[in-house]
């Protein structure tokens, strides 16, 4: 017996009695044998994403989960042989470690590398694939990733200037309540869609059954975080409307009607899903449609209110500038990805996403036109407004110090 095993046995005897220790070892060993006996076949796993430039080659490492009894050939195939070529792999009998195959990039594009075999020992090959992207430039691919984080941060931070503006003025006069109500409804709908796609296994299974086993979930962790954060911050802004001066503002009947219709559609969809008339994936798409419609109309009440008041006071320009930054970088990334992969369907194939992004930018430009050109606030007016607020605070403090009764002279 080795020193290592003696030390381990002595330590275990301190933690539990020797008889219990041996019972534990026997049970664990038996459980392992039972588990191995219940597993049918040997699974494999491979790298999911690979990015190359034309002429480059890379190795895909394929990991086996067990030992093969007979040698077999693992055939590699691609959905588009013009984009890349892949070598087959021979796995010898008794091999239980990883094997490697080489991918050679031929031309720009995207394809899936799949695996199959005539061996009955290898199972679950339908779910094993590697997405290969052959791009014009890998540095540009990295730039696209950086751009993605830029617009993610810009959109996430864009909520805070309005909150700060409300706090500074102790007033929400000038901030349209229809915009807030529609914005919260849109983000809640977007949130239900993202959370369902990201966390609900049944919906993920339906998605793969509909679009194919090799499709990647379109919702990523940053999408879920952004939505939850947006709902929270929008709720904080609405709470400010309940606390600060609002000048008799309220949601219009049209705004209330749009919100009610949106949730009625969601409610009808829920009933249809519960009665199995709709799949849960189709029901989840209801929320994406609600988000799209709200994005189309949510800026209109604020733009109209600014025109009617001939002022943008109360509507934070910081929010607009950050939203414009995020939208611009988002569209820029879409163009660069389409160019880098020679796949313009990613840009114009999803014209709804592209159109909504462009529409948001147009509204941001219109808000900037209102703020800086049509209804500018001069420095003198701005300083006078700040001074007026300061004078009111000082006056209130002075009133607190004055006696309730003053003496009068006869």
């Amino acid at each position: 017996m080795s020193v290592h095993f003696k030390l381990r046995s002595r330590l275990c005897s301190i933690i539990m009695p020797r008889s219990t220790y041996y019972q534990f070892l026997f049970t664990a060993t038996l459980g392992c044998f039972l588990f191995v006996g219940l597993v049918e076949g040997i699974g494999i796993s491979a790298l999911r994403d690979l990015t190359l430039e034309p002429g480059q080659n890379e190795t895909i490492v394929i990991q086996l989960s067990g030992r093969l009894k007979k040698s077999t050939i693992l055939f590699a195939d691609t959905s588009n042989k013009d984009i890349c070529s892949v070598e087959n792999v021979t796995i010898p009998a008794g091999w239980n470690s990883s094997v490697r195959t080489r991918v050679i990039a031929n031309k720009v594009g995207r394809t899936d590398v799949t695996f199959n075999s005539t061996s009955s020992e290898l199972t679950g090959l339908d779910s094993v694939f590697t997405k290969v992207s052959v791009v014009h430039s890998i540095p540009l691919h990295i730039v696209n990733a950086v751009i993605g984080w830029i617009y993610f941060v810009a959109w996430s931070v864009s909520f805070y200037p309005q909150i700060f503006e409300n706090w500074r003025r102790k007033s929400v006069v000038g901030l349209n309540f229809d915009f807030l109500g529609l914005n919260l409804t849109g983000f809640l709908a977007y949130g239900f869609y993202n959370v369902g796609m990201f966390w609900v296994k049944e919906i993920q299974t339906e998605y793969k059954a509909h679009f194919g086993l090799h499709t990647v979930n379109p919702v990523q962790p940053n999408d879920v975080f952004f939505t939850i954060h947006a709902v929270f911050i929008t709720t904080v802004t609405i709470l400010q409307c309940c606390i600060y001066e609002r000048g008799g503002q309220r949601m219009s009947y049209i705004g209330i009607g749009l919100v009610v219709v949106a949730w009625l559609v969601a409610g009808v969809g829920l009933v249809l899903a519960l009665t199995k008339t709709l799949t849960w994936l189709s029901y989840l798409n209801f929320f994406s449609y609600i988000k799209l419609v709200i994005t189309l109309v949510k800026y209109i009440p604020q733009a109209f209110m600014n025109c009617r008041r001939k002022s943008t006071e109360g509507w934070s320009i910081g929010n607009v500038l950050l939203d414009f930054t995020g939208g611009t970088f988002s569209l820029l990334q879409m163009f660069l990805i389409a160019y880098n992969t020679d796949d313009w369907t990613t840009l114009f194939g999803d014209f709804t996403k592209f159109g909504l992004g462009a529409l948001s930018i147009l509204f941001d430009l219109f808000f900037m036109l209102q703020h800086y050109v049509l209804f500018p606030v001069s420095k003198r007016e701005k300083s006078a407004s700040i001074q007026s607020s300061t004078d009111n605070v000082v006056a209130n403090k002075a009133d607190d110090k004055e006696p309730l009764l003053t003496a009068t002279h006869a």
Side-chain angles (χ1 to χ4, degrees), residues 142-382:
I142 297 172
V143 169
N144 282 332
V146 174
I147 289 175
W149 280 106
I150 290 174
Y151 73 70
F152 171 75
V153 171
W155 275 338
S156 298
V157 177
S158 66
F159 299 95
Y160 290 92
Q162 185 65 59
I163 291 178
F164 176 77
E165 181 76 4
N166 297 341
W167 172 80
R168 183 185 66 82
R169 297 172 63 240
K170 298 296 185 292
S171 170
V172 293
V173 175
L175 175 61
N176 190 272
F177 287 11
D178 285 357
F179 168 78
L180 285 178
L182 292 170
N183 214 22
L184 180 62
T185 301
F187 282 129
L188 283 172
Y190 188 45
F192 287 136
Y193 177 83
N194 285 339
V195 169
M197 286 294 298
F198 189 75
W199 270 311
V200 180
K201 296 297 181 183
E202 182 180 351
I203 294 176
Q204 292 175 357
T205 302
E206 290 181 6
Y207 184 82
K208 287 184 177 292
H210 185 75
F211 293 100
L213 290 174
H214 299 161
T215 54
V216 177
N217 193 333
V219 177
Q220 299 300 311
N222 60 328
D223 297 318
V224 179
F225 170 80
F226 172 80
T227 310
I228 295 174
H229 173 260
V231 170
F232 172 75
I233 293 298
T234 306
T235 304
V236 170
T237 309
I238 291 175
L239 290 176
Q240 286 184 316
C241 295
C242 300
I243 297 171
Y244 297 142
E245 170 63 31
R246 54 182 177 176
Q249 292 181 164
R250 62 174 182 81
M251 281 192 70
S252 69
Y253 291 118
I254 295 177
I256 295 172
L258 289 174
V259 171
V260 170
V261 168
W263 290 114
L264 281 177
V265 170
V268 170
L270 179 61
V271 173
L272 294 175
L274 290 173
T275 57
K276 306 296 183 181
T277 306
L278 279 179
T279 64
W280 285 106
L281 179 61
S282 299
Y283 170 60
L284 209 61
N285 286 330
F286 275 39
F287 290 107
S288 66
Y289 303 146
I290 291 172
K291 170 61 177 172
L292 292 178
V293 173
I294 286 179
T295 303
L296 283 172
V297 301
K298 70 176 183 179
Y299 293 109
I300 296 176
Q302 184 67 57
F304 178 76
M305 183 178 183
N306 293 346
C307 290
R308 189 186 62 189
R309 296 174 65 238
K310 291 184 171 44
S311 171
T312 59
E313 187 179 2
W315 172 242
S316 174
I317 192 62
N319 170 27
V320 174
L321 295 175
L322 286 167
D323 187 66
F324 176 77
T325 301
T328 303
F329 275 100
S330 176
L331 289 185
L332 175 62
Q333 186 192 54
M334 293 175 68
F335 274 102
L336 291 179
I337 289 176
Y339 160 76
N340 208 23
T341 60
D342 274 349
D343 185 8
W344 293 96
T345 59
T346 59
L347 183 63
F348 299 110
D350 188 1
F351 190 77
T352 301
K353 180 180 179 181
F354 173 79
L356 287 175
L359 183 65
S360 296
I361 290 177
L362 288 177
F363 268 110
D364 289 331
L365 289 172
F366 182 66
F367 285 132
M368 285 187 266
L369 180 68
Q370 286 183 322
H371 184 81
Y372 293 111
V373 180
L374 299 179
F375 317 121
V377 179
S378 65
K379 292 182 179 180
R380 181 178 299 176
E381 291 175 345
K382 190 172 182 180

Side-chain angles (χ1 to χ4, degrees), residues 29-235:
T29 306
L30 179 62
C32 289
F33 279 116
L34 288 174
F35 176 77
V36 172
L38 290 172
V39 173
E40 296 181 358
I42 298 169
I44 69 171
S45 59
L47 183 69
R48 282 298 174 95
D49 293 289
L50 196 61
T51 303
L52 302 169
E53 290 181 2
Q56 288 185 337
N57 62 79
E58 189 58 76
T59 299
I60 297 179
V61 178
I62 304 166
Q63 187 67 43
L64 277 68
S65 64
R67 190 184 301 273
L68 288 174
K69 296 179 182 178
K70 297 180 181 180
S71 63
T72 186
I73 298 177
L74 189 64
F75 298 99
D77 195 15
T78 63
S79 55
N80 191 332
K81 299 184 184 299
D82 294 334
I83 294 175
C84 70
S85 55
V86 193
E87 300 172 349
N88 297 330
V89 184
T90 300
I91 306 175
W95 191 263
N96 67 339
S97 184
S98 60
V99 293
R100 299 169 184 270
T101 183
R102 186 168 298 278
V103 179
I104 302 173
N106 299 325
K107 58 177 290 189
V108 173
R110 290 176 175 176
T111 186
D112 294 337
V113 175
T114 56
F115 303 93
N116 60 78
S117 174
T118 57
S119 173
S120 59
E121 294 182 75
L122 294 175
T123 60
L125 297 181
D126 291 341
S127 61
V128 180
F129 63 94
T130 297
K131 287 191 169 295
V132 178
S133 298
V134 183
V135 298
H136 287 292
S137 170
I138 288 181
L140 184 58
H141 178 74
I142 297 172
V143 169
N144 282 332
V146 174
I147 289 175
W149 280 106
I150 290 174
Y151 73 70
F152 171 75
V153 171
W155 275 338
S156 298
V157 177
S158 66
F159 299 95
Y160 290 92
Q162 185 65 59
I163 291 178
F164 176 77
E165 181 76 4
N166 297 341
W167 172 80
R168 183 185 66 82
R169 297 172 63 240
K170 298 296 185 292
S171 170
V172 293
V173 175
L175 175 61
N176 190 272
F177 287 11
D178 285 357
F179 168 78
L180 285 178
L182 292 170
N183 214 22
L184 180 62
T185 301
F187 282 129
L188 283 172
Y190 188 45
F192 287 136
Y193 177 83
N194 285 339
V195 169
M197 286 294 298
F198 189 75
W199 270 311
V200 180
K201 296 297 181 183
E202 182 180 351
I203 294 176
Q204 292 175 357
T205 302
E206 290 181 6
Y207 184 82
K208 287 184 177 292
H210 185 75
F211 293 100
L213 290 174
H214 299 161
T215 54
V216 177
N217 193 333
V219 177
Q220 299 300 311
N222 60 328
D223 297 318
V224 179
F225 170 80
F226 172 80
T227 310
I228 295 174
H229 173 260
V231 170
F232 172 75
I233 293 298
T234 306
T235 304

Side-chain angles (χ1 to χ4, degrees), residues 377-391:
V377 179
S378 65
K379 292 182 179 180
R380 181 178 299 176
E381 291 175 345
K382 190 172 182 180
S383 61
S385 176
I386 296 173
Q387 184 63 39
S388 176
S389 300
T390 306
D391 292 342

